[in-house]
Amino acid sequence: MLEIDNWWTTPIGRTKLEMPKDMRATLTELVERQDPCKTSDTYDGVNRDYTKFEEKVYNLFDYTRYSNEPFEIKAIAYLKEFEQAIGNIIRTYIFRAWGLDNCNIKVRAFGNASKTYSRRIPPHFHHGWDGVALTYLSIGQEFYAKDNDTQPTPKNTEHSGNLIMQDPRPAINFPFTDKAKVIKPEVGLTIVHPAYLWHETEVHTLAGLRSCLVVDFKILTQNCDYLPTPLGM
């Protein structure tokens, strides 16, 4: 059951999505196989060029990108099962949080598989989307990277992989405890929130991978989007 709490002025959805271990392991490996796409590594700030980023960005729900390799056939089956489940959660959130029903929705899915002491994910929001759904596949000490790279010594810290949500209101003199909310990751935990909400993830310090699937979603409007043309120079 999807619970929705209002943090500040923002509806935050929260539920638990139960998945078999083999499904979570397969989807974690699928995410790990993707070419990581970080804006900081792919944006040419001097020339304002996003070409590299556009070459590496992907959508897991685009099933035309997969081969007939046995692993990918298995992964697709699990991915479609996940898509159906997360789709029901997203539609429930849109109806209960925003009062909208029978919407046409477009999505883009991607993932993250963080090794021990990989980079902290800095504050960001998901530009151009209406909402974001996040599901944790593993929080560590369960699945391990396929490569043989030596990993730093793990530590069992209280902050490992914590998701930090930030108050969107411009009241910078509020106490910090009122300006940020911390969500501790759990296997299967699914969070849904508006895309404009700034959030960040603390460093993963446990052994193994912290893996998750992220789905950006957009509600299609009926305002004749086909009419506009580029503004002349």
Side-chain angles (χ1 to χ4, degrees):
M1 170 130 182
L2 181 68
E3 297 178 359
I4 297 181
D5 295 315
N6 285 312
W7 291 0
W8 318 293
T9 57
T10 307
I12 307 294
R14 184 176 182 137
T15 190
K16 197 77 173 287
L17 186 54
E18 301 291 345
M19 290 178 281
K21 184 174 182 178
D22 185 63
M23 178 178 180
R24 294 187 293 108
T26 300
L27 294 178
T28 293
E29 182 175 346
L30 181 67
V31 169
E32 196 185 1
R33 288 185 177 202
Q34 310 307 309
D35 193 4
C37 182
K38 304 182 184 71
T39 305
S40 57
D41 297 338
T42 56
Y43 174 55
D44 181 352
V46 176
N47 299 310
R48 298 187 178 182
D49 183 8
Y50 282 95
T51 303
K52 280 184 170 180
F53 180 81
E54 291 170 353
E55 288 174 352
K56 296 181 75 173
V57 72
Y58 64 89
N59 182 0
L60 289 173
F61 290 162
D62 176 9
Y63 297 105
T64 64
R65 63 194 297 273
Y66 301 108
S67 69
N68 289 322
E69 177 196 354
F71 170 80
E72 293 200 347
I73 292 174
K74 177 183 179 181
I76 287 172
Y78 279 144
L79 199 55
K80 288 183 176 180
E81 185 177 340
F82 171 77
E83 183 178 11
Q84 183 175 13
I86 200 69
N88 290 335
I89 292 170
I90 289 171
R91 289 186 184 278
T92 300
Y93 174 86
I94 290 173
F95 177 68
R96 292 180 52 200
W98 297 337
L100 300 174
D101 198 7
N102 297 320
C103 300
N104 292 322
I105 303 169
K106 282 194 172 182
V107 295
R108 177 230 168 183
F110 60 100
N112 181 282
S114 298
K115 299 178 183 178
T116 306
Y117 284 102
S118 58
R119 73 176 189 127
R120 177 190 179 97
I121 299 177
H124 66 284
F125 67 100
H126 293 224
H127 176 73
W129 298 93
D130 292 319
V132 182
L134 161 72
T135 298
Y136 290 101
L137 299 173
S138 175
I139 61 172
Q141 299 177 318
E142 187 176 24
F143 308 134
Y144 292 83
K146 298 300 180 183
D147 59 40
N148 295 316
D149 292 349
T150 302
Q151 298 298 306
T153 302
K155 290 184 180 179
N156 187 6
T157 63
E158 293 184 357
H159 63 266
S160 179
N162 282 352
L163 175 64
I164 302 175
M165 301 288 208
Q166 301 173 16
D167 186 348
R169 299 171 300 177
I172 59 175
N173 59 340
F174 274 23
F176 177 77
T177 51
D178 292 332
K179 292 292 292 178
K181 302 282 188 182
V182 176
I183 297 175
K184 195 160 189 64
E186 302 172 20
V187 172
L189 176 63
T190 298
I191 303 295
V192 190
H193 62 84
Y196 63 74
L197 193 67
W198 284 79
H199 53 285
E200 58 185 295
T201 301
E202 296 203 65
V203 173
H204 170 60
T205 66
L206 299 177
L209 296 169
R210 180 193 66 86
S211 58
C212 62
L213 292 175
V214 183
V215 180
D216 292 329
F217 60 90
K218 178 185 297 185
I219 301 169
L220 302 185
T221 62
Q222 305 295 326
N223 62 353
C224 303
D225 288 339
Y226 58 87
L227 287 178
T229 56
L231 178 66
M233 299 296 290

